[in-house]
Amino acid sequence: MKKHMMKPAVAQLAHAELFTPKMDETLWFFKDVLGMYQVAREGQSVYLKAYEDFYHHSLKLTKADQPGLGHVAWRTSSKEVLEETAKHLEKIGLGEGWTDGDLGHGPAYQFNTPDGHPSEILWEIDYYEADEKERSAMRSRSQKRPLRGVPVRRLDHINLLSKDVEKHQKFLQESLDFNLRELKLGEREKQIGAWLSVSNLVHEIGIMQDGRSNEDIGPRLHHLAFWYGYPQNLFDLADVCVDHDIEIEMGPGKHGATQSYFLYVFEPGGNRIELFGDTGYLIFDPDWETIVWDVSNKEDLEKSSIWFGPRLEDTFYNYGTPNE
Amino acid sequence: MKKHMMKPAVAQLAHAELFTPKMDETLWFFKDVLGMYQVAREGQSVYLKAYEDFYHHSLKLTKADQPGLGHVAWRTSSKEVLEETAKHLEKIGLGEGWTDGDLGHGPAYQFNTPDGHPSEILWEIDYYEADEKERSAMRSRSQKRPLRGVPVRRLDHINLLSKDVEKHQKFLQESLDFNLRELKLGEREKQIGAWLSVSNLVHEIGIMQDGRSNEDIGPRLHHLAFWYGYPQNLFDLADVCVDHDIEIEMGPGKHGATQSYFLYVFEPGGNRIELFGDTGYLIFDPDWETIVWDVSNKEDLEKSSIWFGPRLEDTFYNYGTPNE
Amino acid sequence: MKKHMMKPAVAQLAHAELFTPKMDETLWFFKDVLGMYQVAREGQSVYLKAYEDFYHHSLKLTKADQPGLGHVAWRTSSKEVLEETAKHLEKIGLGEGWTDGDLGHGPAYQFNTPDGHPSEILWEIDYYEADEKERSAMRSRSQKRPLRGVPVRRLDHINLLSKDVEKHQKFLQESLDFNLRELKLGEREKQIGAWLSVSNLVHEIGIMQDGRSNEDIGPRLHHLAFWYGYPQNLFDLADVCVDHDIEIEMGPGKHGATQSYFLYVFEPGGNRIELFGDTGYLIFDPDWETIVWDVSNKEDLEKSSIWFGPRLEDTFYNYGTPNE
Amino acid sequence: MKKHMMKPAVAQLAHAELFTPKMDETLWFFKDVLGMYQVAREGQSVYLKAYEDFYHHSLKLTKADQPGLGHVAWRTSSKEVLEETAKHLEKIGLGEGWTDGDLGHGPAYQFNTPDGHPSEILWEIDYYEADEKERSAMRSRSQKRPLRGVPVRRLDHINLLSKDVEKHQKFLQESLDFNLRELKLGEREKQIGAWLSVSNLVHEIGIMQDGRSNEDIGPRLHHLAFWYGYPQNLFDLADVCVDHDIEIEMGPGKHGATQSYFLYVFEPGGNRIELFGDTGYLIFDPDWETIVWDVSNKEDLEKSSIWFGPRLEDTFYNYGTPNE
């Protein structure tokens, strides 16, 4: 039957690059607290992966004056789709051109989101090859579970702040084949939050209205999320964070939108990191109708944001990186 | 971009029908212990759903002399794909013809797996509409979380016993567009277990060698699985099962293959039911290479079967329904 | 060796009586949501127990105009100690006299705390005897784990609001042999919270400064707590509460003082109920030095109150029952 | 009231000394896998504590040819009780005499159990004083939660193998003031397992019939147990153990006797270590009647041993240290 199958432009979130003004402390956080493995260091950058990430790295940390998003990288569904998508992006004026790639992956086509978030698509990618000592007998695990911190299992999703959620999410649908899974509408039905996926997840990417949209600021990162799959691990990590002076913004708790168990912390460099304690829910319906939350009043806003757990923090809508 | 996208034949597991010789006890198990809602009763059948199943039902129970699989129903990716797939199945000689449908769904094309397991594909389906009283403010939840038992959230996957795993799984790949995610090879590389999915799950369907393949028995069910997402709920349910005389076969524990946290119990009618305590791991790699376990010796067999937890029970490979 | 052993006046929290202006809704909450068993109904009162409470009942609900504490009952260490303690209470002027007892227990000596909370001590008590059908094979469990709600396991502790914490807790130490485990000091070292136990728990009783001490109000209940022992059950219950319109005040989260995983909800009658998700920590040191938190500034107040989780709610210090 | 209170001989389990033929590997296990802190090293011994142990150490590891119990140390209720108890032990012929103490504690009176397990009682003990860097803001926590392994919180209990359970447990009751909480009777009502405590725990000490009682072997250790309080941590640790080649004997699962969530592993030196995933249940009843399990047939034996989880392993009754 497969003769009739073709693929979406984007297949998955491959990795993200975060800027940090405090490389040592940021590295300590990701390695010693979140238990990630360092796989390479080159120039001002360090490459990391979680023990169930399959590729060379899922996180690149680069020294910079301000925290923020270096870039986000999406793997396409095939080499052909990479080329088609690059042409499309060039045509609509968001393309930046090809690079030869980076440690861990081949040629990448760089582009900007409508808000200007640096992005790239790529196909060729290196699988992480564990040496004998760190190889797991679990064949779906690329490395042994580490003995450091409360170790995250894999990169999960990214959330970007936008000055125009509707425009941004439509670009993701139309140019990269994402599906719109959940949507928040504010006053006069203005889109203020959108959750999109190319998978059965509710989102590999979330787009939220930047609380400082009326200011002269550039594209900002809301958060990058790593996955545990177990709510107790959020409790374990929260306990660790308090003891080790890592600032918790909010959580543990459960979102209404996406149904996910969340914990938001700030890594020492200033970027917000979400830890994901379950898988929320999964979408298998091929005819999924976008869930719409009407958050034009505060009660509805909070119910969709916080199903239960903490109160909604003001910073949640105003703080992004860079935050100067 | 979406111009180039087409869809796999099968999109998801829609529902399953189980036979039970003890309808009252089986209903008690699914309703009072697993917290499922009864949505309809017609003739010798009762229709049930979990509180996060979106459709009319995910489980149909039908009175019969022996436990076993009534049929398994797959939803296709579209109406067109349904028709194409029906033609294909007819052509390869496994088709049984169209029915007008059943409570909760439209026309279905019936077919048999290579082993003879009764199956159907369908497109038109009724979404469950909760009345005011049982409607949840959680928009991704079709009903309120019930106050009965340790309530499962949704149907997850099915596992069938086969006399020829290789043949069966190739049919699933070639005719229904499943992807082969994990594979167990026994003596002389004979395929003895296969896990396939059309989603990011490791499996919506597992196929395992029937331990009684050399006997004159028909196609058998290994188990039907419902999802919790939280390992603690397996402990909660196991505790409930011991107190309420529901036989636990094995677990809680963690499989090597699929990485899932499992608990296997026998519902009073005799069918093996798996409760799924997490989501194992998810596959996003568009170029996934099937994981192969070589279980030609007992040690490897057990490691892939039981990462940790209980010892492997003999019944696990020999008991299926019907089991006369 | 036992020749030299004698016992503390109070051995344990036996039961509590709560007033409710909405008996039907309150009963629904304790029976259908918290999974308690109803053991008797007499006059305006209903008697309940959790499935791992050993005695006739741990909770008595009585219809009244306002929510609040009917009385709290402590079991003494022996019959002799009951009599001695009754004499002592009479002597210090807090005694109210003997009653013949109530359903489930023998003679009780009634007294008031220094704040006036109705209390009693008793020795003779009826063990719950499950009939064949609800008897558990688990010999340390007085009934089968129920198939309703997210069932609590046993009564844990009580927390009373006081106009004079120091006086109240000293009474508990001096007259009832409680040990002072943790203490919060406010401005000018005024005692504003005290946690005391006669067991290895950090507290069977907490005493907190009533936020409305300067008003002309009587003795009030802060909360009554039931025990799960598993943090996931707090998540399960919080989810249930949101779906079934039960108001959550705060949590799940972890207290600094007592280290307990908490969830505070209001039962429909208005009383605050705590659900206890672990056992915090236990005290085995025979020479325990009271832990003192200096909460004379807001930051310290919050850290001891909320180790992680929700923000501290104002209601937490101001709301008690009755709350008119 | 406290005039009439006196104390039991033993107040708590203070520490245990384990022998190990593989000091480096054993240290790796307790420090890197169980997250314990090393507090001192002297001669052939290393002293360790968990982050919520309050005293100088809870575990002393000493190099030896065979694994096994170096000694178990109990803290008495007071200095006076220490002296009285020492005299009593001397009188009944089990006393070995006084020592000046060891790192972390003052004078100790050494004695042997009726089976010959080296033991001591002591009163003066050093509290662990964390330096600035490792001090926790949680005042009931003696050190910050470590970033290594799946960190245990405190020492919980010890389990000794005996050639005469009845004699051994009666000694514990009569000479050290333990209470008999649960008991297993085998053929002809022979006592084959006993769980005793001086606290609200079901046991600080378990005594089980040595499966090799008819052999010419000395007193043996069954296991030493450390506490998590969270069942998920047992899953986390089991996962770690499989990846890092630490042998799991049995679990995770739930015992019938004591109701505890267990995981049994062998530390690299050969001693069996239990990880305790909850607190089972607590006993507050001052008039507790010993729970008796009749395990004279295999079914009852297994139900009390395994409420749910793994099958009972033969090693569980036959393996102890030393095991030569």
Side-chain angles (χ1 to χ4, degrees), chain A residues 218-235:
Chain A
R220 303 202 299 164
L221 172 71
H222 190 268
H223 68 261
L224 190 67
F226 291 88
W227 185 67
Y228 283 123
Y230 309 113
Q232 176 63 44
N233 288 169
L234 298 187
F235 279 152

Side-chain angles (χ1 to χ4, degrees), chain C residues 121-312:
Chain C
I121 46 175
L122 55 87
W123 168 250
E124 285 170 25
I125 204 156
D126 295 344
Y127 288 83
Y128 182 80
E129 293 292 339
D131 62 23
E132 187 61 30
K133 205 180 150 179
E134 65 176 25
R135 188 170 302 147
S136 175
M138 175 71 80
R139 290 173 186 265
S140 54
R141 181 175 283 177
S142 58
Q143 284 171 288
K144 288 184 180 182
R145 180 176 173 139
L147 297 173
R148 297 183 308 280
V150 183
V152 294
R153 293 173 66 187
R154 62 163 168 76
L155 177 61
D156 190 83
H157 67 264
I158 194 167
N159 189 307
L160 304 176
L161 290 172
S162 170
K163 291 189 173 184
D164 188 336
V165 170
E166 184 165 0
K167 184 179 174 188
H168 197 133
Q169 64 91 347
K170 281 190 171 166
F171 160 75
L172 293 172
Q173 287 193 72
E174 292 164 7
S175 296
L176 300 178
D177 295 339
F178 281 87
N179 303 295
L180 182 60
R181 302 311 202 170
E182 300 203 16
L183 188 63
K184 286 194 194 180
L185 299 180
E187 301 292 345
R188 272 155 289 151
E189 305 211 335
K190 184 183 174 187
Q191 297 186 9
I192 60 167
W195 288 262
L196 303 98
S197 72
V198 288
S199 70
N200 302 108
L201 297 179
V202 180
H203 64 321
E204 281 101 26
I205 187 163
I207 306 296
M208 299 196 327
Q209 181 70 33
D210 194 322
R212 292 171 58 194
S213 289
N214 53 349
E215 297 179 39
D216 179 24
I217 51 173
R220 304 203 296 165
L221 171 71
H222 190 268
H223 68 262
L224 190 66
F226 291 88
W227 185 67
Y228 283 123
Y230 309 114
Q232 177 64 44
N233 288 168
L234 297 188
F235 279 152
D236 292 335
L237 184 71
D239 200 21
V240 158
C241 286
V242 181
D243 251 350
H244 294 272
D245 300 319
I246 297 156
E247 187 186 349
I248 294 173
E249 181 187 37
M250 205 167 78
K254 177 170 175 147
H255 286 309
T258 76
Q259 280 212 46
S260 52
Y261 280 89
F262 63 82
L263 176 68
Y264 294 95
V265 305
F266 296 109
E267 57 87 11
N271 295 295
R272 184 192 282 106
I273 302 297
E274 182 184 0
L275 291 312
F276 198 177
D278 63 349
T279 47
Y281 70 103
L282 296 173
I283 297 174
F284 301 102
D285 183 351
D287 201 25
W288 181 254
E289 189 176 343
T290 301
I291 285 177
V292 180
W293 302 83
D294 175 5
V295 298
S296 57
N297 55 63
K298 192 160 177 293
E299 287 70 27
D300 289 358
L301 173 65
E302 287 185 15
K303 183 68 82 192
S304 66
S305 298
I306 308 290
W307 182 249
F308 64 74
R311 273 189 283 169
L312 192 59

Side-chain angles (χ1 to χ4, degrees), chain B residues 287-312:
Chain B
D287 202 27
W288 181 254
E289 188 175 343
T290 302
I291 284 176
V292 181
W293 302 84
D294 176 5
V295 296
S296 57
N297 56 61
K298 192 160 176 294
E299 285 72 26
D300 289 358
L301 172 65
E302 286 185 16
K303 183 68 84 190
S304 66
S305 298
I306 307 289
W307 182 249
F308 65 73
R311 273 188 282 169
L312 191 60

